[in-house]
Amino acid sequence: MSFTLYDAIVPTLRQLLGALPGVIAKAEELVASSDCTDANLLEARLADDMWPLPWHIRACWMHSAYALDQLADGAFTPDFTAIPESWDEMRSLIADAEERLAAATPQEIDAIANREVNFVLGGETRFTLPGERFLLGFNMPNFQFHATTFYDILRMKGVPLSKRDYMGNPAGPMFEG
């Protein structure tokens, strides 16, 4: 059995993306049933020098759907615009990422493996990696960091979440009947 770059990336991204709407729903339930407000959650961050809650959904989108579109041209330039301002905007980014990943093919992802990818920030190339290392060593850890941080901020603010909420369906949406 061969294991492809697609197999290493896409199912896990889709699994974790698939869990995020449920995490958001639990946050909204807390707001509806307590004195916690949307603003208390949306403005929350783990530390003063970290991004607030909605940024982490933007980053999950950026390191999944946006990255796949960027990497086709051999460069990744982070997009720090359009930070979601509501639960619905976060859900929209998640849906967009899920749609893009569902459309990705093994051939498309595997074609990135040997292509050089430049990380460009502020118009300047900061580093270059083979596509496989970029996806596995940069994009995937960034995606997981931001998904985890989103979960952690909400957990810290009292949203009743478990590890299962973070993980979603281990079989992932690709294997649901």
Side-chain angles (χ1 to χ4, degrees), residues 43-100:
E43 295 167 7
R45 54 187 81 211
L46 290 179
D48 290 341
D49 64 347
M50 291 181 76
W51 291 98
L53 185 75
W55 164 255
H56 298 286
I57 293 297
R58 176 70 177 190
C60 286
W61 168 84
M62 189 182 339
H63 289 288
S64 58
Y66 176 79
L68 294 185
D69 291 337
Q70 290 257 307
L71 296 181
D73 293 330
F76 178 83
T77 302
D79 180 352
F80 298 111
T81 63
I83 306 308
E85 296 181 4
S86 70
W87 303 115
D88 285 339
E89 288 180 22
M90 285 186 259
R91 274 192 283 273
S92 179
L93 280 176
I94 294 165
D96 180 67
E98 173 57 33
E99 184 179 311
R100 175 62 179 96

Short mmCIF file of all heavy atoms in Angstrom, two decimals, residues 43-100:
data_model
loop_
_atom_site.label_atom_id
_atom_site.label_comp_id
_atom_site.label_asym_id
_atom_site.label_seq_id
_atom_site.Cartn_x
_atom_site.Cartn_y
_atom_site.Cartn_z
N GLU A 43 -13.14 38.25 21.77
CA GLU A 43 -11.98 39.08 22.08
C GLU A 43 -10.93 38.34 22.90
O GLU A 43 -9.84 38.87 23.15
CB GLU A 43 -12.44 40.33 22.83
CG GLU A 43 -13.32 41.23 21.98
CD GLU A 43 -14.04 42.32 22.77
OE1 GLU A 43 -13.76 42.47 23.98
OE2 GLU A 43 -14.89 42.99 22.17
N ALA A 44 -11.24 37.10 23.29
CA ALA A 44 -10.35 36.35 24.17
C ALA A 44 -9.09 35.89 23.45
O ALA A 44 -9.10 35.64 22.24
CB ALA A 44 -11.09 35.15 24.74
N ARG A 45 -8.02 35.81 24.21
CA ARG A 45 -6.74 35.30 23.72
C ARG A 45 -6.03 34.63 24.88
O ARG A 45 -6.33 34.92 26.04
CB ARG A 45 -5.91 36.42 23.09
CG ARG A 45 -5.69 37.61 23.97
CD ARG A 45 -5.00 38.77 23.29
NE ARG A 45 -5.96 39.55 22.50
CZ ARG A 45 -5.66 40.20 21.40
NH1 ARG A 45 -4.45 40.18 20.93
NH2 ARG A 45 -6.55 40.88 20.74
N LEU A 46 -5.11 33.73 24.59
CA LEU A 46 -4.40 33.03 25.65
C LEU A 46 -3.37 33.92 26.35
O LEU A 46 -3.09 33.75 27.53
CB LEU A 46 -3.68 31.78 25.11
CG LEU A 46 -4.59 30.63 24.70
CD1 LEU A 46 -3.76 29.47 24.16
CD2 LEU A 46 -5.47 30.17 25.84
N ALA A 47 -2.78 34.85 25.62
CA ALA A 47 -1.80 35.77 26.17
C ALA A 47 -1.94 37.10 25.43
O ALA A 47 -2.43 37.14 24.30
CB ALA A 47 -0.38 35.22 26.01
N ASP A 48 -1.52 38.16 26.07
CA ASP A 48 -1.69 39.49 25.49
C ASP A 48 -1.04 39.64 24.12
O ASP A 48 -1.51 40.42 23.29
CB ASP A 48 -1.11 40.56 26.43
CG ASP A 48 -1.95 40.73 27.69
OD1 ASP A 48 -3.14 40.32 27.68
OD2 ASP A 48 -1.42 41.26 28.68
N ASP A 49 0.05 38.91 23.87
CA ASP A 49 0.74 39.06 22.58
C ASP A 49 0.29 38.03 21.54
O ASP A 49 0.94 37.85 20.52
CB ASP A 49 2.26 38.99 22.78
CG ASP A 49 2.73 37.64 23.30
OD1 ASP A 49 1.90 36.82 23.75
OD2 ASP A 49 3.95 37.40 23.27
N MET A 50 -0.85 37.38 21.78
CA MET A 50 -1.39 36.41 20.82
C MET A 50 -2.64 36.97 20.15
O MET A 50 -3.27 37.89 20.66
CB MET A 50 -1.73 35.09 21.53
CG MET A 50 -0.50 34.34 22.01
SD MET A 50 -0.92 32.79 22.83
CE MET A 50 -1.33 31.77 21.41
N TRP A 51 -2.96 36.40 19.00
CA TRP A 51 -4.17 36.81 18.27
C TRP A 51 -5.42 36.42 19.05
O TRP A 51 -5.43 35.43 19.77
CB TRP A 51 -4.21 36.11 16.91
CG TRP A 51 -3.17 36.54 15.94
CD1 TRP A 51 -1.98 35.93 15.67
CD2 TRP A 51 -3.24 37.67 15.07
NE1 TRP A 51 -1.30 36.61 14.70
CE2 TRP A 51 -2.04 37.69 14.31
CE3 TRP A 51 -4.18 38.67 14.87
CZ2 TRP A 51 -1.78 38.66 13.35
CZ3 TRP A 51 -3.91 39.64 13.91
CH2 TRP A 51 -2.73 39.63 13.17
N PRO A 52 -6.53 37.18 18.87
CA PRO A 52 -7.80 36.83 19.50
C PRO A 52 -8.45 35.63 18.80
O PRO A 52 -8.05 35.23 17.71
CB PRO A 52 -8.63 38.09 19.35
CG PRO A 52 -8.08 38.77 18.14
CD PRO A 52 -6.61 38.44 18.11
N LEU A 53 -9.46 35.11 19.43
CA LEU A 53 -10.12 33.88 19.01
C LEU A 53 -10.41 33.77 17.50
O LEU A 53 -10.01 32.79 16.88
CB LEU A 53 -11.43 33.71 19.80
CG LEU A 53 -12.18 32.40 19.55
CD1 LEU A 53 -11.48 31.25 20.25
CD2 LEU A 53 -13.61 32.52 20.01
N PRO A 54 -11.09 34.73 16.87
CA PRO A 54 -11.44 34.54 15.45
C PRO A 54 -10.24 34.39 14.52
O PRO A 54 -10.34 33.74 13.47
CB PRO A 54 -12.24 35.80 15.10
CG PRO A 54 -12.73 36.32 16.40
CD PRO A 54 -11.66 35.97 17.39
N TRP A 55 -9.12 35.00 14.87
CA TRP A 55 -7.93 34.88 14.04
C TRP A 55 -7.55 33.42 13.83
O TRP A 55 -7.07 33.02 12.77
CB TRP A 55 -6.76 35.65 14.65
CG TRP A 55 -5.47 35.22 14.01
CD1 TRP A 55 -4.51 34.43 14.56
CD2 TRP A 55 -5.04 35.50 12.68
NE1 TRP A 55 -3.51 34.21 13.66
CE2 TRP A 55 -3.81 34.86 12.49
CE3 TRP A 55 -5.59 36.24 11.63
CZ2 TRP A 55 -3.11 34.94 11.30
CZ3 TRP A 55 -4.88 36.30 10.45
CH2 TRP A 55 -3.66 35.66 10.29
N HIS A 56 -7.77 32.58 14.83
CA HIS A 56 -7.34 31.19 14.75
C HIS A 56 -8.15 30.41 13.71
O HIS A 56 -7.61 29.51 13.06
CB HIS A 56 -7.35 30.55 16.13
CG HIS A 56 -6.38 31.25 17.03
ND1 HIS A 56 -5.02 31.08 16.92
CD2 HIS A 56 -6.57 32.17 18.00
CE1 HIS A 56 -4.40 31.86 17.79
NE2 HIS A 56 -5.33 32.53 18.47
N ILE A 57 -9.39 30.77 13.53
CA ILE A 57 -10.18 30.16 12.44
C ILE A 57 -9.65 30.66 11.10
O ILE A 57 -9.51 29.89 10.14
CB ILE A 57 -11.68 30.45 12.60
CG1 ILE A 57 -12.22 29.74 13.84
CG2 ILE A 57 -12.45 30.04 11.34
CD1 ILE A 57 -12.17 28.23 13.80
N ARG A 58 -9.33 31.93 11.03
CA ARG A 58 -8.74 32.48 9.79
C ARG A 58 -7.45 31.72 9.46
O ARG A 58 -7.19 31.38 8.31
CB ARG A 58 -8.47 33.97 9.96
CG ARG A 58 -7.78 34.64 8.80
CD ARG A 58 -8.66 34.73 7.61
NE ARG A 58 -8.00 35.44 6.52
CZ ARG A 58 -8.60 35.83 5.44
NH1 ARG A 58 -9.89 35.59 5.28
NH2 ARG A 58 -7.95 36.44 4.49
N ALA A 59 -6.63 31.46 10.46
CA ALA A 59 -5.37 30.75 10.24
C ALA A 59 -5.61 29.30 9.82
O ALA A 59 -4.87 28.78 8.98
CB ALA A 59 -4.52 30.82 11.50
N CYS A 60 -6.63 28.66 10.36
CA CYS A 60 -6.96 27.30 9.92
C CYS A 60 -7.34 27.32 8.43
O CYS A 60 -6.91 26.45 7.66
CB CYS A 60 -8.10 26.71 10.75
SG CYS A 60 -7.61 26.24 12.42
N TRP A 61 -8.13 28.29 8.03
CA TRP A 61 -8.48 28.44 6.62
C TRP A 61 -7.20 28.69 5.80
O TRP A 61 -7.00 28.09 4.74
CB TRP A 61 -9.47 29.59 6.45
CG TRP A 61 -9.68 30.00 5.03
CD1 TRP A 61 -10.52 29.42 4.13
CD2 TRP A 61 -9.03 31.07 4.34
NE1 TRP A 61 -10.43 30.07 2.92
CE2 TRP A 61 -9.52 31.08 3.02
CE3 TRP A 61 -8.08 32.02 4.71
CZ2 TRP A 61 -9.09 32.01 2.08
CZ3 TRP A 61 -7.64 32.95 3.77
CH2 TRP A 61 -8.16 32.93 2.47
N MET A 62 -6.34 29.60 6.30
CA MET A 62 -5.14 29.97 5.57
C MET A 62 -4.21 28.78 5.37
O MET A 62 -3.60 28.63 4.32
CB MET A 62 -4.40 31.09 6.31
CG MET A 62 -3.27 31.68 5.51
SD MET A 62 -2.29 32.96 6.35
CE MET A 62 -3.30 33.58 7.64
N HIS A 63 -4.10 27.91 6.37
CA HIS A 63 -3.17 26.78 6.28
C HIS A 63 -3.84 25.53 5.72
O HIS A 63 -3.28 24.44 5.82
CB HIS A 63 -2.53 26.52 7.65
CG HIS A 63 -1.57 27.59 8.03
ND1 HIS A 63 -0.34 27.73 7.41
CD2 HIS A 63 -1.66 28.61 8.91
CE1 HIS A 63 0.28 28.77 7.92
NE2 HIS A 63 -0.50 29.33 8.82
N SER A 64 -5.00 25.70 5.12
CA SER A 64 -5.64 24.59 4.43
C SER A 64 -6.04 25.05 3.02
O SER A 64 -5.25 24.94 2.10
CB SER A 64 -6.83 24.06 5.23
OG SER A 64 -7.80 25.06 5.48
N ALA A 65 -7.23 25.60 2.86
CA ALA A 65 -7.73 25.99 1.54
C ALA A 65 -6.83 27.01 0.85
O ALA A 65 -6.43 26.82 -0.30
CB ALA A 65 -9.15 26.55 1.67
N TYR A 66 -6.53 28.07 1.52
CA TYR A 66 -5.71 29.15 0.95
C TYR A 66 -4.33 28.63 0.56
O TYR A 66 -3.81 28.93 -0.51
CB TYR A 66 -5.62 30.28 1.97
CG TYR A 66 -4.74 31.44 1.59
CD1 TYR A 66 -5.19 32.42 0.71
CD2 TYR A 66 -3.46 31.57 2.12
CE1 TYR A 66 -4.40 33.51 0.37
CE2 TYR A 66 -2.66 32.65 1.79
CZ TYR A 66 -3.13 33.61 0.92
OH TYR A 66 -2.33 34.68 0.60
N ALA A 67 -3.73 27.81 1.42
CA ALA A 67 -2.40 27.28 1.14
C ALA A 67 -2.40 26.43 -0.13
O ALA A 67 -1.49 26.55 -0.95
CB ALA A 67 -1.90 26.45 2.32
N LEU A 68 -3.41 25.60 -0.29
CA LEU A 68 -3.44 24.76 -1.50
C LEU A 68 -3.48 25.62 -2.75
O LEU A 68 -2.81 25.31 -3.74
CB LEU A 68 -4.62 23.81 -1.46
CG LEU A 68 -4.58 22.73 -0.37
CD1 LEU A 68 -5.75 21.79 -0.54
CD2 LEU A 68 -3.26 21.99 -0.36
N ASP A 69 -4.25 26.67 -2.72
CA ASP A 69 -4.32 27.56 -3.88
C ASP A 69 -2.99 28.29 -4.09
O ASP A 69 -2.55 28.47 -5.22
CB ASP A 69 -5.46 28.55 -3.73
CG ASP A 69 -6.82 27.87 -3.82
OD1 ASP A 69 -6.91 26.78 -4.41
OD2 ASP A 69 -7.80 28.44 -3.29
N GLN A 70 -2.35 28.72 -3.03
CA GLN A 70 -1.08 29.43 -3.13
C GLN A 70 0.05 28.52 -3.61
O GLN A 70 0.85 28.93 -4.44
CB GLN A 70 -0.70 29.99 -1.75
CG GLN A 70 -1.56 31.12 -1.28
CD GLN A 70 -0.85 32.42 -1.44
OE1 GLN A 70 0.25 32.60 -1.00
NE2 GLN A 70 -1.51 33.35 -2.11
N LEU A 71 0.11 27.31 -3.10
CA LEU A 71 1.23 26.44 -3.38
C LEU A 71 1.31 26.00 -4.84
O LEU A 71 2.38 25.62 -5.32
CB LEU A 71 1.21 25.22 -2.46
CG LEU A 71 1.39 25.55 -0.97
CD1 LEU A 71 1.36 24.28 -0.15
CD2 LEU A 71 2.64 26.34 -0.71
N ALA A 72 0.20 26.07 -5.53
CA ALA A 72 0.22 25.73 -6.95
C ALA A 72 1.18 26.62 -7.72
O ALA A 72 1.74 26.20 -8.74
CB ALA A 72 -1.19 25.84 -7.53
N ASP A 73 1.40 27.84 -7.23
CA ASP A 73 2.32 28.77 -7.88
C ASP A 73 3.71 28.79 -7.24
O ASP A 73 4.55 29.60 -7.61
CB ASP A 73 1.73 30.19 -7.87
CG ASP A 73 0.49 30.31 -8.74
OD1 ASP A 73 0.40 29.56 -9.74
OD2 ASP A 73 -0.37 31.13 -8.41
N GLY A 74 3.94 27.93 -6.24
CA GLY A 74 5.26 27.82 -5.64
C GLY A 74 5.59 28.83 -4.57
O GLY A 74 6.76 28.99 -4.22
N ALA A 75 4.59 29.52 -4.05
CA ALA A 75 4.85 30.49 -2.98
C ALA A 75 3.67 30.50 -2.02
O ALA A 75 2.54 30.22 -2.40
CB ALA A 75 5.06 31.88 -3.54
N PHE A 76 3.97 30.82 -0.78
CA PHE A 76 2.93 30.98 0.24
C PHE A 76 3.15 32.34 0.88
O PHE A 76 4.21 32.61 1.44
CB PHE A 76 3.01 29.88 1.29
CG PHE A 76 1.99 30.03 2.39
CD1 PHE A 76 0.70 29.57 2.22
CD2 PHE A 76 2.33 30.64 3.59
CE1 PHE A 76 -0.24 29.71 3.23
CE2 PHE A 76 1.40 30.78 4.61
CZ PHE A 76 0.11 30.31 4.42
N THR A 77 2.15 33.20 0.74
CA THR A 77 2.17 34.52 1.34
C THR A 77 0.98 34.62 2.29
O THR A 77 -0.16 34.61 1.83
CB THR A 77 2.06 35.61 0.25
OG1 THR A 77 3.13 35.44 -0.67
CG2 THR A 77 2.13 37.00 0.85
N PRO A 78 1.22 34.66 3.60
CA PRO A 78 0.10 34.71 4.54
C PRO A 78 -0.84 35.88 4.25
O PRO A 78 -0.41 36.93 3.80
CB PRO A 78 0.77 34.89 5.90
CG PRO A 78 2.16 34.42 5.70
CD PRO A 78 2.51 34.71 4.27
N ASP A 79 -2.10 35.65 4.50
CA ASP A 79 -3.14 36.66 4.29
C ASP A 79 -3.70 37.06 5.65
O ASP A 79 -4.43 36.29 6.27
CB ASP A 79 -4.24 36.08 3.40
CG ASP A 79 -5.36 37.06 3.13
OD1 ASP A 79 -5.38 38.15 3.73
OD2 ASP A 79 -6.24 36.73 2.32
N PHE A 80 -3.32 38.23 6.11
CA PHE A 80 -3.74 38.71 7.43
C PHE A 80 -4.96 39.62 7.38
O PHE A 80 -5.24 40.35 8.31
CB PHE A 80 -2.58 39.44 8.11
CG PHE A 80 -1.39 38.57 8.34
CD1 PHE A 80 -0.21 38.78 7.63
CD2 PHE A 80 -1.43 37.54 9.25
CE1 PHE A 80 0.90 37.98 7.84
CE2 PHE A 80 -0.33 36.73 9.46
CZ PHE A 80 0.84 36.95 8.75
N THR A 81 -5.69 39.59 6.27
CA THR A 81 -6.87 40.45 6.12
C THR A 81 -8.12 39.70 6.51
O THR A 81 -8.11 38.49 6.71
CB THR A 81 -6.99 40.92 4.65
OG1 THR A 81 -7.20 39.78 3.82
CG2 THR A 81 -5.76 41.67 4.20
N ALA A 82 -9.19 40.41 6.60
CA ALA A 82 -10.54 39.84 6.77
C ALA A 82 -10.65 38.85 7.92
O ALA A 82 -11.11 37.73 7.75
CB ALA A 82 -11.01 39.21 5.46
N ILE A 83 -10.26 39.27 9.10
CA ILE A 83 -10.43 38.43 10.29
C ILE A 83 -11.93 38.35 10.58
O ILE A 83 -12.62 39.37 10.61
CB ILE A 83 -9.68 39.03 11.50
CG1 ILE A 83 -8.22 39.30 11.17
CG2 ILE A 83 -9.83 38.13 12.73
CD1 ILE A 83 -7.46 38.14 10.59
N PRO A 84 -12.46 37.14 10.77
CA PRO A 84 -13.91 37.02 11.01
C PRO A 84 -14.33 37.78 12.26
O PRO A 84 -13.59 37.84 13.24
CB PRO A 84 -14.14 35.52 11.18
CG PRO A 84 -12.81 34.88 11.22
CD PRO A 84 -11.77 35.87 10.83
N GLU A 85 -15.53 38.34 12.19
CA GLU A 85 -16.04 39.13 13.31
C GLU A 85 -17.24 38.49 13.99
O GLU A 85 -17.79 39.06 14.92
CB GLU A 85 -16.40 40.53 12.81
CG GLU A 85 -15.20 41.30 12.32
CD GLU A 85 -15.55 42.69 11.84
OE1 GLU A 85 -16.71 43.12 11.96
OE2 GLU A 85 -14.63 43.38 11.34
N SER A 86 -17.64 37.31 13.53
CA SER A 86 -18.81 36.63 14.13
C SER A 86 -18.66 35.12 13.98
O SER A 86 -17.82 34.63 13.21
CB SER A 86 -20.09 37.08 13.42
OG SER A 86 -20.12 36.57 12.09
N TRP A 87 -19.50 34.43 14.69
CA TRP A 87 -19.53 32.96 14.58
C TRP A 87 -19.88 32.56 13.15
O TRP A 87 -19.30 31.62 12.62
CB TRP A 87 -20.53 32.38 15.58
CG TRP A 87 -20.27 32.74 17.01
CD1 TRP A 87 -21.07 33.50 17.82
CD2 TRP A 87 -19.14 32.38 17.80
NE1 TRP A 87 -20.51 33.62 19.06
CE2 TRP A 87 -19.32 32.94 19.08
CE3 TRP A 87 -17.98 31.64 17.57
CZ2 TRP A 87 -18.41 32.78 20.11
CZ3 TRP A 87 -17.06 31.48 18.60
CH2 TRP A 87 -17.27 32.05 19.85
N ASP A 88 -20.82 33.26 12.55
CA ASP A 88 -21.23 32.92 11.18
C ASP A 88 -20.08 33.12 10.19
O ASP A 88 -19.90 32.31 9.27
CB ASP A 88 -22.45 33.73 10.74
CG ASP A 88 -23.73 33.22 11.38
OD1 ASP A 88 -23.77 32.05 11.83
OD2 ASP A 88 -24.71 34.00 11.43
N GLU A 89 -19.30 34.19 10.37
CA GLU A 89 -18.15 34.40 9.48
C GLU A 89 -17.11 33.31 9.68
O GLU A 89 -16.48 32.87 8.72
CB GLU A 89 -17.54 35.78 9.71
CG GLU A 89 -18.41 36.91 9.18
CD GLU A 89 -17.79 38.28 9.41
OE1 GLU A 89 -16.56 38.38 9.60
OE2 GLU A 89 -18.56 39.26 9.42
N MET A 90 -16.94 32.84 10.91
CA MET A 90 -16.01 31.74 11.16
C MET A 90 -16.52 30.46 10.49
O MET A 90 -15.75 29.74 9.84
CB MET A 90 -15.82 31.52 12.66
CG MET A 90 -14.95 32.58 13.31
SD MET A 90 -14.61 32.22 15.04
CE MET A 90 -15.77 33.32 15.82
N ARG A 91 -17.81 30.19 10.64
CA ARG A 91 -18.39 29.01 9.99
C ARG A 91 -18.23 29.07 8.48
O ARG A 91 -17.98 28.06 7.82
CB ARG A 91 -19.86 28.85 10.36
CG ARG A 91 -20.09 28.09 11.65
CD ARG A 91 -21.56 27.73 11.82
NE ARG A 91 -22.34 28.86 12.25
CZ ARG A 91 -22.52 29.22 13.52
NH1 ARG A 91 -21.99 28.51 14.49
NH2 ARG A 91 -23.23 30.27 13.82
N SER A 92 -18.35 30.26 7.91
CA SER A 92 -18.18 30.44 6.47
C SER A 92 -16.76 30.10 6.02
O SER A 92 -16.57 29.44 4.99
CB SER A 92 -18.55 31.88 6.08
OG SER A 92 -18.37 32.06 4.70
N LEU A 93 -15.77 30.54 6.77
CA LEU A 93 -14.38 30.20 6.44
C LEU A 93 -14.14 28.70 6.55
O LEU A 93 -13.45 28.11 5.71
CB LEU A 93 -13.40 30.93 7.36
CG LEU A 93 -13.09 32.37 7.02
CD1 LEU A 93 -12.18 32.99 8.07
CD2 LEU A 93 -12.46 32.50 5.65
N ILE A 94 -14.71 28.09 7.57
CA ILE A 94 -14.57 26.64 7.74
C ILE A 94 -15.21 25.92 6.55
O ILE A 94 -14.62 24.99 5.99
CB ILE A 94 -15.20 26.18 9.07
CG1 ILE A 94 -14.42 26.75 10.25
CG2 ILE A 94 -15.28 24.65 9.14
CD1 ILE A 94 -15.14 26.67 11.58
N ALA A 95 -16.40 26.35 6.16
CA ALA A 95 -17.09 25.72 5.03
C ALA A 95 -16.30 25.90 3.74
O ALA A 95 -16.20 24.96 2.93
CB ALA A 95 -18.50 26.30 4.88
N ASP A 96 -15.71 27.07 3.56
CA ASP A 96 -14.89 27.31 2.37
C ASP A 96 -13.68 26.38 2.36
O ASP A 96 -13.34 25.80 1.32
CB ASP A 96 -14.44 28.77 2.34
CG ASP A 96 -13.59 29.08 1.12
OD1 ASP A 96 -14.12 29.03 0.00
OD2 ASP A 96 -12.38 29.34 1.30
N ALA A 97 -13.03 26.24 3.50
CA ALA A 97 -11.87 25.35 3.58
C ALA A 97 -12.27 23.91 3.32
O ALA A 97 -11.59 23.18 2.58
CB ALA A 97 -11.20 25.49 4.95
N GLU A 98 -13.37 23.50 3.91
CA GLU A 98 -13.84 22.12 3.71
C GLU A 98 -14.17 21.87 2.24
O GLU A 98 -13.81 20.83 1.68
CB GLU A 98 -15.05 21.83 4.60
CG GLU A 98 -15.70 20.49 4.34
CD GLU A 98 -14.77 19.28 4.47
OE1 GLU A 98 -13.85 19.30 5.30
OE2 GLU A 98 -14.99 18.30 3.73
N GLU A 99 -14.82 22.81 1.62
CA GLU A 99 -15.16 22.68 0.19
C GLU A 99 -13.90 22.55 -0.66
O GLU A 99 -13.83 21.73 -1.57
CB GLU A 99 -15.99 23.88 -0.25
CG GLU A 99 -16.49 23.82 -1.67
CD GLU A 99 -17.33 25.03 -2.02
OE1 GLU A 99 -18.25 25.37 -1.24
OE2 GLU A 99 -17.06 25.64 -3.07
N ARG A 100 -12.91 23.38 -0.37
CA ARG A 100 -11.66 23.33 -1.14
C ARG A 100 -10.94 22.01 -0.95
O ARG A 100 -10.43 21.40 -1.89
CB ARG A 100 -10.75 24.51 -0.74
CG ARG A 100 -9.39 24.50 -1.39
CD ARG A 100 -9.49 24.60 -2.91
NE ARG A 100 -8.19 24.63 -3.54
CZ ARG A 100 -7.57 23.55 -4.04
NH1 ARG A 100 -8.14 22.37 -3.98
NH2 ARG A 100 -6.39 23.67 -4.61
#
